[in-house]
Amino acid sequence: MDTRRLSRFSVAAFLAAGLLISGCSPDSSSPEASPSDSATGSGAGPASVDQAALRKFYEQKLRWRECGTAGFQCATMKAPLDYAKPDGAEIDLAVARKKATGPGKRLGSLLVNPGGPGGSAIAYLQSYAGIGYPAPVRARYDMAAIDPRGVAGSEPVTCLSGKEMDAYTQVDQTPDDQAETKKLAAAFKTFAEGCRKRSGTVLPHVSTVEAARDMDIFRAALGDEKLSYVGASYGTFLGATYAELFPRRTGRLVLDGAMDPSLPAVELNRDQTAGFETAFQSFARDCVKQADCPLGTTSAADASNRMKAFFKTLDAKPVPAGDGRRLGESLATTGVIAAMYDESAWPQLREAVAGAMRGDGAALLALADSYYERDSEGSYANLMYANSAVNCLDLPPAFDSPEAVTKALPSFEKASPVFGTGLAWASLNCAYWPAKATGSPHRIEAEGAAPIVVVGTTRDPATPYKWARSLAAQLSSGTLLTYEGDGHTAYGRGSDCIDTAINTYLLAGTPPADGKKCS
């Protein structure tokens, strides 16, 4: 499958894809209510959108209600299912907000998105951003979120039952012969067909371009003249796409853990494969210094070899993992990848790998389950389904056949001796997707947009640092902020330097100097 699952939520490593508000309705004559846009890029969607037909969406009044934790409000927003036919079917989108707490003058709304694609922005708002973002930011902004179409509360894509998904995540991701290759391809086909049967109506209309257009309707419904936004991981692509479509409505945008929109799927997947290798090597260097390292205490190279050898052992003979489940190579690899997103998970990973090596795979399986958002009852959240649905629309498939994967294996294995084989085969999923891709790789310049802050972490596993450098250079108003460290994304992860730079930008509008570095 396509491995671009990004965010803490991120690339779906194995078999899963590639991780504020005023509520007033603007006057229809105001700049923020106008549905006209200025799409310029080759991935900007329909060349012509019926502006008059969109006006009813821009002028809608949201009916807010209390929801979840005290202080949060939710509403349902209408948007066209197909922007090329805005007078046709509509889609219901879940939105939420938490009003600015004060003191200080309100600066408008700050939309947030945690990435994925497939991560619930509303869940992120209510569990973290609305209560955990720096107090000065929450004091001045209404914190807001919209679940992108096809995700969580916004007509979610569904594909498989829990039992079917269990079977899917256990399929051998590193086929050793033709029979195993056919079985893997059949699993991708079954997944795609399940999505078509259960979500065929929405499936062709969950692209990032459409989600960005939805964000502009939300901006207008909130009464904001410009969009201020913090997007993480895939959320950076969503934010950059918004800036491309609506450069003159782009306010203060923070794109943290950036994607590179100019790359085709195969390059994105190979770059990300290298990113996970970089992160694993950082983990390995730390692991061998710890007395409890299950991969030895000699060198990172030896630790890598032991990890590869253990995956091979699990490929041949999975180990018990509790509740009648077993841990094989695919789920074990997913568990290891899950721990690469945050270095604070490294001690847990050491313990989990040690347990699996002793014949108890429960802890490593728990890491994989958290990555796939599987609960203790065997039900899966919508994340992995939406992840594939968005990725497979946004770009043509990385590979169109098993033979194409086989040819590319050497380059993926060079990018990552530990993960390369599995992530190459994971990139095959979009070959069988029932909805044709509508996007294409292209540079995003967003000429005319206000300064945009692009944040990159030097050892980020899911969004390699080179992507942040590239996006900042593409954007006409981009400025690069670098965190020299481990883990996925940088804002709110412990660097006072990063947080101060971003807070200053959000509160005062002053971006950091281009090329500023923090550690």
Side-chain angles (χ1 to χ4, degrees):
M1 257 195 193
D2 187 300
T3 56
R4 285 168 295 115
R5 180 186 164 213
L6 309 170
S7 101
R8 107 111 174 86
F9 297 123
S10 121
V11 185
F14 283 80
L15 298 167
L19 132 71
L20 325 332
I21 302 163
S22 94
C24 58
S25 227
D27 182 83
S28 62
S29 63
S30 67
E32 61 267 27
S34 171
S36 63
D37 62 51
S38 54
T40 56
S42 63
S48 176
V49 176
D50 186 339
Q51 309 302 335
L54 287 179
R55 188 167 294 278
K56 66 178 181 179
F57 298 106
Y58 275 81
E59 295 177 351
Q60 67 184 294
K61 295 182 179 181
L62 302 180
R63 300 179 63 180
W64 295 101
R65 63 186 185 280
E66 296 297 319
C67 64
T69 308
F72 289 92
Q73 296 177 311
C74 295
T76 298
M77 188 185 84
K78 297 285 187 179
L81 175 65
D82 183 350
Y83 275 90
K85 301 174 182 178
D87 283 324
E90 298 178 354
I91 189 171
D92 290 334
L93 304 174
V95 298
R97 70 180 183 182
K98 185 175 187 287
K99 289 189 174 182
T101 60
K105 181 181 179 181
R106 179 182 173 277
L107 295 174
S109 308
L110 181 65
L111 270 67
V112 296
N113 183 281
S120 170
I122 291 177
Y124 178 73
L125 174 72
Q126 294 184 332
S127 65
Y128 176 63
I131 57 177
Y133 265 33
V137 174
R138 290 183 286 114
R140 305 286 300 281
Y141 283 99
D142 294 343
M143 301 294 292
I146 174 173
D147 276 349
R149 50 179 59 210
V151 175
S154 295
E155 301 197 17
V157 172
T158 58
C159 300
L160 302 176
S161 67
K163 288 184 178 180
E164 289 170 334
M165 189 65 178
D166 275 347
Y168 179 70
T169 61
Q170 295 176 62
V171 174
D172 188 351
Q173 192 77 11
T174 57
D176 299 314
D177 54 35
Q178 191 63 26
E180 289 186 350
T181 299
K182 288 182 178 180
K183 185 175 181 180
L184 178 59
F188 289 139
K189 292 175 183 177
T190 296
F191 185 94
E193 179 61 13
C195 297
R196 186 195 65 79
K197 286 182 177 179
R198 293 172 170 85
S199 301
T201 300
V202 73
L203 217 56
H205 302 293
V206 294
S207 71
T208 296
V209 166
E210 290 161 309
R213 290 187 181 277
D214 295 339
M215 282 170 49
D216 197 55
I217 292 176
F218 189 32
R219 170 202 59 77
L222 295 171
D224 291 326
E225 183 175 356
K226 293 189 175 184
L227 179 86
S228 291
Y229 172 85
V230 177
S233 198
Y234 159 80
T236 67
F237 180 45
L238 180 58
T241 299
Y242 180 90
E244 178 183 35
L245 290 167
F246 308 103
R248 291 187 295 275
R249 297 181 198 161
T250 297
R252 299 170 188 177
L253 261 62
V254 176
L255 308 180
D256 184 12
M259 287 183 65
D260 184 348
S262 71
L263 299 178
V266 65
E267 290 189 37
L268 282 172
N269 293 350
R270 189 162 45 224
D271 281 354
Q272 194 176 56
T273 298
F276 280 109
E277 181 69 21
T278 295
F280 182 81
Q281 291 304 317
S282 189
F283 161 74
R285 287 191 295 271
D286 177 78
C287 186
V288 296
K289 298 175 184 177
Q290 312 300 326
D292 65 343
C293 181
L295 302 175
T297 56
T298 55
S299 67
D302 184 55
S304 296
N305 290 333
R306 292 189 182 206
M307 190 79 262
K308 287 165 48 180
F310 184 56
F311 286 155
K312 189 173 182 64
T313 298
L314 291 175
D315 187 26
K317 187 177 180 180
V319 298
D323 294 329
R325 302 175 70 198
R326 301 184 72 81
L327 179 78
E329 180 187 22
S330 291
L331 285 169
T333 307
T334 301
V336 173
I337 282 178
M340 294 297 100
Y341 285 86
D342 191 332
E343 64 271 27
S344 67
W346 291 356
Q348 181 183 358
L349 178 60
R350 293 197 304 270
E351 183 178 348
V353 171
M357 287 180 166
R358 294 192 302 267
D360 180 2
L364 196 50
L365 181 62
L367 282 170
D369 283 350
S370 69
Y371 188 81
Y372 285 126
E373 293 200 349
R374 179 193 190 274
D375 66 23
S376 60
E377 301 301 316
S379 296
Y380 288 78
N382 147 260
L383 171 64
M384 306 314 295
Y385 310 136
N387 184 262
S388 290
V390 176
N391 282 335
C392 294
L393 273 190
D394 280 349
L395 289 175
F399 300 115
D400 60 7
S401 67
E403 291 74 22
V405 179
T406 300
K407 291 180 181 179
L409 277 176
S411 66
F412 275 76
E413 290 167 347
K414 181 179 179 181
S416 174
V418 177
F419 305 116
T421 302
L423 290 179
W425 283 106
S427 304
L428 182 62
N429 73 312
C430 289
Y432 309 107
W433 203 247
K436 185 178 180 181
T438 54
S440 61
H442 65 284
R443 290 173 56 85
I444 291 182
E445 298 179 1
E447 188 70 39
I452 298 173
V453 176
V454 179
V455 188
T457 298
T458 55
R459 294 186 295 278
D460 192 311
T463 51
Y465 178 62
K466 62 187 289 187
W467 291 356
R469 293 202 312 265
S470 179
L471 180 59
Q474 291 173 45
L475 292 166
S476 63
S477 60
T479 182
L480 178 64
L481 176 62
T482 297
Y483 173 59
E484 296 178 326
D486 296 294
H488 185 39
T489 72
Y491 187 43
R493 297 191 67 248
S495 170
D496 289 338
C497 175
I498 290 289
D499 291 355
T500 298
I502 293 176
N503 292 344
T504 299
Y505 169 66
L506 291 174
L507 296 172
T510 305
D514 187 30
K516 179 179 176 62
K517 295 183 179 180
C518 297
S519 57

